[in-house]
Structure formats: C-alpha cells, structure tokens
Amino acid sequence: MNKRDTFRNILRYLKPHAALLAVSVLCALVTVAAQLAVPFLVGQAIDLIVGAGNVDFPAIFRIFIVIGVCIAAAFAAQYAMSLINNRVVYHLLSDVRTDTFGKLQRLPLKYLDSHAYGEVSGTLLTDAEQFADGLLLGFTQLFTGVVTILGVLVILFVLRWEVALVVVLVTPLSLFAARFISSHTYRTFRQQAQVRAEQTAFIDEAIGNLKVVKAYTHEDENAQFFAQQNEEYRKCSLRALFYSSMPNPVTRFVNSLVYAGVALTGALLVIATAGTALPFTVGALTTCLSYCNQYTKPFNEITEVLAEFQNALACAGRIFALQGEEEQPSDAGKQELGRAKGEVALEDVSFSYRPEQPLIEHFSVRVGAGRRVAIVGPTGCGKTTVINLLMRFYDVNGGSISVDGVDVRDMTRASLRRNYGMVLQETWLKRATVRENLCMGRSDCTQEEMIAAAKAVHAHGFIRRLPKGYDTVIGGEGALSEGQKQLLCVARVMICRPPMLILDEATSNIDTRTERLVQDAFARLMEGRTCFIVAHRLSTIQNADLILVMRDGHIVEQGTHEQLLQKNGFYAELYHAQF
C-alpha cells in the first residue's frame, strides 16, 4: 500500500473525530500565539531599560504580568491539546484494532493458511501500537511546529524585513535535508517492520512448538535461524536508526547558521539605524534572536517527528494492507438452511489449494439421510480437504456440493455449519470454565443435558475431580491431557445434537479402553444422523454404511467393509497392513 492510500485510510479514521481535532487545532493556535507574544514583550521590556536611573519599572511590571498571563494561557491550551490528542489517537487505535480483528473474521481460511500466525498478530498488536505512537507525536508536535514557523516569519517581516530575508534564504537547507532524510527513513522503517513481523512469526512458531523442537533436538538449528533473522533485524534497525538520528545534528547545524546570520544582520542594523527616525533597537534585536530560536526549534522537532511518523506510516501501511485483503464472499441474499434432513451429494467435485497442484478431481458421491460414510486413504489423499469442502471452509473449483438438494453456495455459511457437528483430531478449548466450553454451541443448554453428555463420553468422572468441577477454568497448558480435551470436544457436539456429524480422527488421542466406550457413545449419537468419518484406524469404521477409499484425490474403491475386503484391492492392503 502506497503513502497516498495510507493517508486516505488515516483520514477516514480521523473523520469521526473532526470536532475534537478542530478544538485541538484551536488549542494549538492559542499555544503558539501565547508563546510568540512572549519574545515581543521581553523586547519591549528591554527597551524600557535605557540606562542607570532611567528604568520604567511600572511599565516593566505591567509587561511581566502580561507575560505571566501568556505563559499560563499557553500551558492551559497545550495541556488541553494533549488530552484531546491522546483521546483521539487511542480511540483511533481502538477502532483500527477492532476493524482489523473484524476483518480477520471475514477473511477466507486460505489467507490464514498462507500467513504465519505470528505475522498476523504482530500486525494487529505491534504495528498498531507503533502507528498510534507516531500519530500522537505528529499531532502533538507537527502542527504546532508548522504554525510556529509561519507565525515567526510573519512577525519577522513586520519587525524588519532584512532579518526575515536572512531566515528565508537559509530555510531551504533545512527543508531539503528534511525531505532527503524522511524519504530514506520511510523505506528503512518499512523494511524494519517487515523483518520484525517475520521474526515475530518465527518466535511464535518456535515457542508454540517447543516440545517438538526439543524432541527432535532442533535447538541449535532454531538458534542459528533466529540468529540470522536477528542479524538482519539488527542491520535494518541500524539503517533506520542512522537515518532517524540524522535530522537533529543536520538541522542544528542549519539553525546555527540562521542564528548567526540574524545576529550579524541585526547588529549591523542597530548600528546603521542609531539616531534615525525608526531605529532598530537592542530590544528589537533581542526579540528577533528569540524568534530565531523559536523558528529553528520546530525544525529540530519536526525532523525528529518525521522519522517517527515514517515508522508510523510503514506500520499503518501493513495494517491497511491487511484490511484491504479480499474478503470471503458475502452471504447476503442467500437462503437459510433450516434443520437439514441430511441428504448430501457431491457432484463431479474438483478442488486444489494451488492451481498448479491438482488435488481432488471429478469426485462424486451421494449420501442418504442418516447414512454413515467413512473416508479412508493414505496421508495427503484429500480426506480432510473433503471435510473442508463440506463445511464450506473452501469452495469447490468445479462441480457442486448440495445438502437436501440445495447447492451449499446458495445458502448461508452459518446456517450450513449449524447443521454440522465437528470433532477434529486437533482439540480446541477456549480459556474458560468447563461449563462454558461444553455449552459453546448451545447457550440454552441445561445442567442436566450437560452432565448427561459428559457421562455419555465418560468425561464426568475426571471433571468432578477438577478443583471446581464444571466451574473450573481450563485452556492452559497442563490442566488437562489431550485425551481429556478430546472427550470434552466430543461432549460439546453431543450437547448440540446436529443432524449431520463430521468426525476427523475424533478418537486419535484417547486410549483403547476409553475409545471403545466413546465409540458406544458415538453409536448412540449417530443414530438417525448423516455422518462423515475420517479415520486411519480401520477398526473404528467397520460398521459404516459406506466406505470411500481415496487415493490421489480420487475415489478408487467404495462399499461396505466386507465388500471391500472381498475385492482384495487397495482397502484390503490398508486393512491387512494394520492387522
């Protein structure tokens, strides 16, 4: 995303806060006006000190009172401006994060499958935070700095155009330096943000899979890879730091030239105009030198702010790029699927995650309501992909999938998924109580229904042994074994009692004795329901009404367990290999 698009998006988020920003601008103008009045008043006070015994103390005292009022007004306006800017920026940060997280919910699964989780979370958290910090700095210092510069130039031209001309002639050096530095700073900070996101993704992956790393003694390789990433991040950071550190010394050098030029020109004017009708007084020279400092100081601040602002723009660009990703197609206008009968048909289905790598081709099968269909085959043959297509996590590239005679692409995803119960090999429980996890799919679930489901899958016993029973908070490491987690996932589906079930290696983490008990529970659960069962252990699917044997994305055999064994084909090979 280029700078123009990034700015356009920032303005879109600032639009709701236009009234507060207007008040902030007014406070900034009051602050600058009060600060600019002080040097002029000090110059007047100096001119009232003519010599020994010739000092107008009452007038000086009145000037000091006005100076005090100006300082108080500047303090109050600046304090109010800071409060307003903080409010605007952190409301904007909240809006950006809320919209970005909402966008993640609407993105298709293929986006998350193709991006590291750490990179996505880094964009949502770290990049958003740095964007807000840079924006706050810009609001607080950038506008007041620009107004101060313009105000000083106007006052200098009014006081003495020769002095103002010296300032104007030297100013382009600061502008050129600021432009050169800011352009390089943006590129280096953008590269730094990208490398940081990659490093965050790797750290997230390494920590999340630390057991696997240790099991395969991969610590040295991980440390070496991290060292390479860290070195790349070091180089990017040093380049970014170099350019972001340049503004201060460069602008200080230019500002010293401005101050010296004003001092020399002003001193010559004081000598040249002495005794004339419009003398350039020492007080006026002091005022000009004070304004010179006020003029050059914002250049230091602005160039420093620009470096931070470039970093903020780079981070904002990554956020808005994520927000600009193509969303999952809307379900607007699609029909709602009520409680399905469970008749499922896959007609000439073709699908691949990547166009150059075909996976499922010309896949056709009809499943009657209440039938149990098992899908078996070697790893990578497309079993889980079929499940993804049934649930519409992905849409088919060719052919169609229908439920009760209606193409799933013509119905809302939510209504389709409400008709499926799903138990996967990978368990997922949120950090909440056992009760909240079990009743996730049915908020109106009663205590009796919840306990009955837990007993059916033989989970009631270990739940009662937890510190607070069904009110125990789970979801952290070590709280439950993988088998216990899977039993809770099975119970969660039993509570929902959907008309169709998908069981993808649903008993893979359960011991053999418990598996037999759970199979009995499944048998009761599956009565009258359409079931799709993915299994590697062929002993668990012998009672299926239909077994689909897949190989390289095609159905190579289908039939009952006994029919397939009699064929003595690929299924028989798989079966005899296990027994």
Side-chain angles (χ1 to χ4, degrees), residues 327-519:
E327 293 186 7
Q328 183 174 266
S330 172
D331 283 338
K334 302 293 178 67
Q335 69 182 70
E336 290 284 328
L337 177 65
R339 186 169 180 83
K341 297 177 183 177
E343 296 177 355
V344 180
L346 292 87
E347 301 283 353
D348 197 31
V349 168
S350 296
F351 175 80
S352 64
Y353 294 102
R354 296 178 180 177
E356 68 276 8
Q357 294 180 352
L359 180 56
I360 293 178
E361 296 179 306
H362 309 296
F363 186 102
S364 297
V365 65
R366 286 186 171 273
V367 181
R371 300 263 288 173
R372 303 180 192 180
V373 178
I375 306 173
V376 301
T379 300
C381 69
K383 301 186 297 295
T384 300
T385 300
V386 172
I387 302 303
N388 286 337
L389 296 175
L390 289 172
M391 293 288 291
R392 273 201 81 192
F393 293 146
Y394 290 86
D395 278 330
V396 298
N397 300 138
S400 66
I401 299 176
S402 61
V403 174
D404 294 348
V406 180
D407 194 315
V408 294
R409 289 170 293 189
D410 295 330
M411 61 183 68
T412 64
R413 293 178 179 84
S415 64
L416 172 67
R417 291 165 188 169
R418 279 196 296 268
N419 280 277
Y420 277 109
M422 205 170 180
V423 183
L424 304 178
Q425 181 177 2
E426 299 171 357
T427 59
W428 182 83
L429 297 170
K430 65 177 181 177
R431 185 164 184 79
T433 63
V434 174
R435 184 187 310 276
E436 289 171 317
N437 273 286
L438 290 178
C439 300
M440 181 185 297
R442 267 191 61 197
S443 57
D444 60 342
C445 174
T446 64
Q447 176 87 356
E448 292 74 20
E449 288 176 315
M450 177 183 65
I451 293 176
K455 286 181 177 178
V457 299
H458 307 280
H460 182 66
F462 78 77
I463 293 175
R464 289 187 59 190
R465 291 192 295 272
L466 293 174
K468 295 183 180 179
Y470 285 88
D471 293 317
T472 303
V473 176
I474 58 174
E477 282 293 326
L480 297 173
S481 69
E482 287 300 316
Q484 289 172 332
K485 290 178 183 178
Q486 202 153 35
L487 289 176
L488 293 182
C489 292
V490 174
R492 183 163 59 195
V493 172
M494 294 193 73
I495 289 172
C496 294
R497 295 193 173 277
M500 297 181 288
L501 292 175
I502 292 176
L503 309 176
D504 189 353
E505 293 294 334
T507 58
S508 60
N509 291 322
I510 302 174
D511 63 86
T512 305
R513 177 180 175 277
T514 307
E515 181 186 13
R516 290 186 178 181
L517 297 173
V518 173
Q519 289 294 343

Side-chain angles (χ1 to χ4, degrees), residues 244-310:
S244 63
S245 301
M246 282 180 64
N248 202 351
V250 171
T251 52
R252 283 184 183 276
F253 172 73
V254 176
N255 296 342
S256 298
L257 292 178
V258 174
Y259 192 87
V262 169
L264 179 60
T265 305
L268 293 174
L269 285 172
V270 170
I271 296 171
T273 60
T276 63
L278 294 172
F280 189 65
T281 64
V282 174
L285 175 58
T286 305
T287 299
C288 288
L289 289 174
S290 297
Y291 280 134
C292 182
N293 280 331
Q294 282 196 328
Y295 177 81
T296 55
K297 184 182 177 183
F299 277 102
N300 291 335
E301 294 175 347
I302 288 172
T303 47
E304 289 177 2
V305 168
L306 283 176
E308 291 296 325
F309 200 63
Q310 297 299 330

Side-chain angles (χ1 to χ4, degrees), residues 24-47:
S24 176
V25 169
L26 181 61
C27 290
L29 292 174
V30 172
T31 301
V32 172
Q35 290 174 343
L36 292 180
V38 172
F40 182 78
L41 294 170
V42 170
Q44 286 188 328
I46 290 174
D47 284 339

Side-chain angles (χ1 to χ4, degrees), residues 81-97:
M81 182 180 67
S82 296
L83 287 179
I84 292 170
N85 290 343
N86 274 281
R87 180 180 178 84
V88 169
V89 167
Y90 286 105
H91 271 79
L92 183 145
L93 174 61
S94 176
D95 293 340
V96 167
R97 279 182 169 166

